[in-house]
Amino acid sequence: MNRMREADRILAENLVESIMKEYEARGIAAAIIDGSGRTQYERFWGSADRESKKELNGDTIFGLASVTKSFTALAVMQLEERGILDIHDPVSKYIPEFTGKNQKNVTIRHLMCHSGGFFPLPRILVGEVAQSLGLKESETGDFAYSDAIASEGVRLVAGRLDEQTKEDGLNGEPGEYLSYCNDGFGLLSDIIRRYGGEPSYADYLRKHILEPLAMERSFCDFVRPSQDDNAATLYEKKDGVMTGHRDYHDNAFVLNGGGAMKSTLNDLKKYLAMYLNEGRSPEGVRLLGQRRIREMCRPAMPYGAFGYYGYGLSIKQLDDLKVVEHGGSLPGVSSNIAWSLEADAAVIILCNTSGVPVSLISNALMKAYNGRNPIEKRDIWQETPWDEKTLRDAAGTYVSGEGTRAELYIKEDGRPGVREDGKEKHLIPVSPYSAIVRGRYSDLFVRLIHSEDRGIYAIAYGSRLIPKCSP
């Protein structure tokens, strides 16, 4: 039920405008729907292209980035429902290129909840793999449908995961820790390619998810959005300057399951309505049985300070509402989908600018829709000092294969400090082995990862485990 009050709407929209200004966001599309698929709220800020001032609308194409993972998990669960696979089977049963020689019993389920035991690795990019194979889209067609690129991509991804060892690259046993892993969802998409009965992962999504829901402007293609007149220009800051382009290959992973989807506000309304009806569209088209939809949304691994991760989806508590969601980030993409069965509501936020905290906008609109103050309640953390040994053992540099560099050090006053990519952050230790990095709008959870034989060897920094590289 829509309980949005005028005062709460204004507060939420003021937050959007504040975030847009601070992060130089070029365009944001937002909508709230109920379980019938009816639009309860919709608004657009900014433009699809700053230079031409082209307006955004419900059919404007945006990149979804990691929101794609929900589609991948949904497809895997469809294959399990059809008896084609079992998510508790080892990945090596379906992808022989992945032997798991140094990490035994990595299952499909582990990959679906980012618990395969792998630290983040640099992206293997679709453009680089295509170039190495001598392929051109003008000759072979869109890379999203290329069997040659997928085959080479899975060989490269599986091979480098196999090479990880406890001494270099593994963060723990399968199922021990969550560490966000694009490689894992890449392997999942290749299982779908091999066993889904369609020529490619992109074809599978189109036939078994997009077409049944009449999502006509959603796809994995790289070329199509760059040629569509109603597709958003992608904006990212380079060398301090906000730059726009329409290259949807930018930083795109070679295997599509982690972040290749593009979609629109109107199409995602249909997708989210399906989740609000636990696997069935308002028109009666069932994509997945209720039990498996619920399994996707059930906590499988701890995620951040208070949340959990299911299968391609995360779960959190927002006031008294259980909210299931996923976000996405790529050059020129900030996205978030969220829904609550208790509220009978789903929120969609799409933005064509990198690094915009659209999840905060999603939270605000979900709360406003339910008659609550949309302004985030900031937790008051009680400081719990780390002891001297923990301080000494934790001090050092932690570097992610994805590029994040965090330095934990001891301040002159004896308290822990942190620098991220050279910038000082406000760190508050809140337990003997964890801390909060205080931000303007939200907090980042930090936890020291340690064992008897390895000491403190990594930190959980938000959704990633980052290995310690030097004392």
Side-chain angles (χ1 to χ4, degrees), residues 393-412:
D393 292 348
T397 302
Y398 299 78
V399 180
S400 164
E402 295 175 324
T404 300
R405 183 183 184 90
E407 179 192 354
L408 284 177
Y409 69 98
I410 304 173
K411 295 181 175 181
E412 291 182 0

Side-chain angles (χ1 to χ4, degrees), residues 235-306:
Y235 289 93
E236 60 179 318
K237 187 164 282 189
K238 295 182 178 180
D239 299 323
V241 178
M242 192 62 75
T243 305
H245 62 87
R246 290 171 65 83
D247 180 11
Y248 281 79
H249 301 88
D250 192 2
N251 209 39
F253 194 68
V254 64
L255 299 175
N256 294 333
M261 275 291 298
K262 293 86 182 173
S263 191
T264 69
L265 206 63
N266 286 340
D267 273 3
L268 288 174
K269 291 174 184 177
K270 302 170 185 177
Y271 184 60
L272 272 294
M274 179 272 297
Y275 282 111
L276 284 174
N277 289 278
E278 296 189 301
R280 179 180 53 81
S281 75
E283 294 73 30
V285 177
R286 180 160 290 283
L287 265 64
L288 187 65
Q290 186 182 59
R291 180 176 71 83
R292 284 186 169 82
I293 284 284
R294 290 176 176 176
E295 190 175 354
M296 288 177 65
C297 304
R298 187 177 300 132
M301 293 294 295
Y303 189 58
F306 303 115

Side-chain angles (χ1 to χ4, degrees), residues 290-336:
Q290 186 182 59
R291 180 176 71 83
R292 284 186 169 82
I293 284 284
R294 290 176 176 176
E295 190 175 354
M296 288 177 65
C297 304
R298 187 177 300 132
M301 293 294 295
Y303 189 58
F306 303 115
Y308 295 90
Y309 204 91
Y311 298 155
L313 296 164
S314 62
I315 303 100
K316 68 183 180 185
Q317 202 71 20
L318 192 63
D319 292 339
D320 58 342
L321 300 174
K322 175 186 173 183
V323 174
V324 182
E325 68 173 356
H326 211 288
S329 180
L330 274 174
V333 177
S334 297
S335 61
N336 199 85

Side-chain angles (χ1 to χ4, degrees), residues 48 56-57 73 96 100 116 131 159 245 259 276 280 299 344 377 390 416 434 445:
L56 296 165
N57 58 51
Q131 186 176 22
H245 62 87
L276 284 174
R280 179 180 53 81
D344 188 38
K377 295 177 183 177
T390 300
S434 66
F445 179 65

Side-chain angles (χ1 to χ4, degrees), residues 41-267:
Y41 174 89
E42 182 174 280
R43 183 165 172 185
F44 304 93
W45 291 264
S47 59
D49 180 82
R50 190 185 187 195
E51 287 67 35
S52 67
K53 301 292 192 295
K54 184 174 180 57
E55 293 185 356
L56 296 165
N57 58 51
D59 292 322
T60 302
I61 295 168
F62 290 84
L64 297 189
S66 285
V67 170
T68 303
K69 292 178 172 68
S70 66
F71 289 84
T72 301
L74 179 65
V76 170
M77 297 303 278
Q78 286 180 330
L79 296 183
E80 183 181 60
E81 190 168 71
R82 289 161 55 190
I84 293 171
L85 56 78
D86 186 325
I87 65 171
H88 299 285
D89 281 341
V91 175
S92 57
K93 178 178 177 179
Y94 302 92
I95 299 182
E97 294 91 336
F98 177 75
T99 68
K101 62 182 181 180
N102 296 322
Q103 184 74 313
K104 302 299 182 184
N105 299 318
V106 178
T107 67
I108 292 173
R109 179 188 181 279
H110 288 137
L111 298 187
M112 292 172 74
C113 59
H114 299 294
S115 62
F118 305 106
F119 283 119
L121 293 167
R123 284 176 176 260
I124 299 174
L125 302 180
V126 64
E128 294 176 355
V129 173
Q131 186 176 22
S132 73
L133 296 174
L135 300 178
K136 298 180 180 179
E137 274 174 323
S138 59
E139 299 171 358
T140 64
D142 198 289
F143 290 157
Y145 301 89
S146 170
D147 192 67
I149 289 176
S151 297
E152 178 66 3
V154 77
R155 185 187 72 80
L156 294 170
V157 171
R160 74 172 180 177
L161 291 181
D162 263 352
E163 292 304 314
Q164 307 303 302
T165 64
K166 181 177 179 180
E167 294 72 31
D168 184 15
L170 295 178
N171 62 52
E173 297 291 328
E176 186 175 2
Y177 295 112
L178 179 146
S179 184
Y180 201 88
C181 184
N182 285 303
D183 290 66
F185 270 81
L187 294 185
L188 291 175
S189 65
D190 208 65
I191 292 174
I192 295 163
R193 175 180 74 99
R194 296 180 188 215
Y195 293 90
E198 307 300 336
S200 67
Y201 166 82
D203 284 305
Y204 182 93
L205 292 194
R206 177 180 53 78
K207 183 172 180 179
H208 296 274
I209 297 177
L210 304 177
E211 288 183 354
L213 293 178
M215 296 173 66
E216 298 176 352
R217 287 178 62 74
S218 302
F219 44 79
C220 291
D221 303 42
F222 297 106
V223 176
R224 180 177 166 184
S226 67
Q227 297 177 340
D228 193 300
D229 187 53
N230 193 13
T233 297
L234 306 172
Y235 289 93
E236 60 179 318
K237 187 164 282 189
K238 295 182 178 180
D239 299 323
V241 178
M242 192 62 75
T243 305
H245 62 87
R246 290 171 65 83
D247 180 11
Y248 281 79
H249 301 88
D250 192 2
N251 209 39
F253 194 68
V254 64
L255 299 175
N256 294 333
M261 275 291 298
K262 293 86 182 173
S263 191
T264 69
L265 206 63
N266 286 340
D267 273 3

